[in-house]
Amino acid sequence: MAGWYPVLLRLDGRKCVVFGGGAVAQRKAGGLLEANADVHIVSPKVTPALLEWSQVGTLRWTAKEAEERDMDGAILVFAATDRPDLNRRLAEAAAERGIPANVADDGESGDFIVPAVLRRGDLILTASASGAGPALPVRIIGELAERYGQNYNENVEDLRTIRRIVKAHVADPSERRALLGAAVTGEALAEWRAASWLDDEDKLIARLRQLAKRTEGTDT
């Protein structure tokens, strides 16, 4: 069984090619667009959604059969046609060019797999069964979606500010870790939403120290 290493890639403005124009290709393209990638679709036909996205300039669609040269300049390739033999050939061609490829109909045969994803702004939660199929990961992501609502986007923005403040005010690495850990307790997250702690940096640090001390007492 293949071993997989989970990682988040920065794709802003970088070319990613999706071969295929059906529902699977549409899902792949949609995920890439959420990451602000420069998405290129290569397929004689596409879904209505892909067609609309191409017409408004959200992505590029080349209406033709796949060719190896379509990969020029790409950093990722998605072989998502309805022809397994073609998908394999495209993945092999990508490998020869040193471009990681995902094979939609046989994830384990490609260089990477795409997990089920839940986005809450900059908070990104993923689940994968390592190529064994999407059913379980999709179920898990559905459960996470119920637990982690849209408000967690605001939490991430607050925590980014809190991290900057803690780094500026606290020199000791161990105390930094303790304060940042205290900042993500349920009580703390509710406070960041309900009060203006972030407007007074000294007050914020003092409150984090209170929370950290309370957390430490609970752990012991």
Side-chain angles (χ1 to χ4, degrees):
M1 184 177 70
W4 301 99
Y5 183 80
V7 64
L8 294 176
L9 298 177
R10 183 183 296 277
L11 298 180
D12 301 73
R14 307 182 76 179
K15 180 180 177 180
C16 298
V17 177
V18 179
F19 292 104
V24 174
Q26 180 181 313
R27 289 198 300 271
K28 303 293 187 183
L32 291 168
L33 291 173
E34 287 185 328
N36 299 319
D38 178 14
V39 182
H40 293 235
I41 300 291
V42 181
S43 177
K45 299 179 180 179
V46 294
T47 65
L50 288 172
L51 175 61
E52 180 181 353
W53 292 345
S54 70
Q55 290 174 336
V56 298
T58 303
L59 53 74
R60 305 181 191 183
W61 170 37
T62 302
K64 69 178 188 65
E65 296 291 346
E67 297 181 82
E68 291 185 19
R69 62 181 180 179
D70 296 320
M71 304 178 192
D72 291 349
I75 67 162
L76 293 178
V77 164
F78 295 77
T81 76
D82 58 1
R83 294 171 49 192
D85 59 327
L86 177 58
N87 289 339
R88 303 300 177 280
R89 291 201 302 271
L90 291 170
E92 292 171 0
E96 292 175 357
R97 292 165 173 256
I99 306 172
N102 169 262
V103 181
D105 59 295
D106 185 8
E108 291 186 273
S109 69
D111 300 303
F112 67 96
I113 53 180
V114 180
V117 178
L118 172 66
R119 288 181 179 269
R120 293 291 186 248
D122 286 341
L123 176 64
I124 302 174
L125 305 177
T126 66
S128 173
S130 300
L136 180 59
V138 168
R139 174 185 170 183
I140 291 171
I141 287 296
E143 294 171 355
L144 292 174
E146 294 180 4
R147 178 171 180 179
Y148 298 99
Q150 294 294 341
N151 58 288
Y152 276 85
N153 180 33
E154 298 176 8
N155 287 142
V156 171
E157 293 300 321
D158 291 340
L159 291 171
R160 181 177 284 111
T161 300
I162 290 170
R163 182 173 183 269
R164 175 184 58 79
I165 293 171
V166 169
K167 289 181 68 176
H169 286 259
V170 180
D172 181 62
S174 62
E175 185 181 11
R176 282 184 184 177
R177 287 192 295 272
L179 297 187
L180 293 175
V184 298
T185 62
E187 179 182 1
L189 292 175
E191 287 192 19
W192 311 145
R193 292 195 295 269
S196 57
W197 292 99
L198 306 187
D199 296 333
D200 187 327
E201 297 187 1
D202 291 331
K203 181 180 177 181
L204 172 66
I205 294 296
R207 179 56 178 155
L208 286 172
R209 284 173 172 152
Q210 289 178 347
L211 292 168
K213 186 175 181 179
R214 185 183 307 173
T215 302
E216 181 182 358
T218 301
D219 292 341
T220 56

